[in-house]
Amino acid sequence: NKIQIFIVGLNGDATLVTGEANDVLTLPIEAVVDGEVELENGEKRKVETGLIGDTDIEIKSGVKEGEWIRLSL
């Protein structure tokens, strides 16, 4: 039998990495609303997204590197 001891008031933080992608196009999470982004000219375009981090979201298709998007803050 193992004896487990819990100390009251002791806590900790953990980070769980569930996925990782390298060399991918990302945008700030705020740029994607309901699966769409707004381009510089006001056109809304559907995007396919991938992994989501704390601040960025992976863009698999819909916009290309170098295209300007509008960001609502």
Side-chain angles (χ1 to χ4, degrees), residues 1-58:
N1 284 342
K2 284 188 176 182
I3 297 175
Q4 295 183 350
I5 299 174
F6 295 97
I7 301 173
V8 177
L10 186 64
N11 61 28
D13 294 318
T15 301
L16 301 177
V17 177
T18 58
E20 186 175 324
N22 295 309
D23 298 322
V24 297
L25 179 64
T26 62
L27 290 174
I29 290 175
E30 299 84 13
V32 181
V33 179
D34 296 328
E36 294 183 332
V37 296
E38 187 174 350
L39 301 179
E40 179 181 32
N41 63 5
E43 172 193 350
K44 290 190 178 184
R45 190 181 295 169
K46 284 246 182 237
V47 292
E48 179 185 356
T49 59
L51 296 175
I52 302 172
D54 291 335
T55 59
D56 297 322
I57 187 167
E58 177 186 2

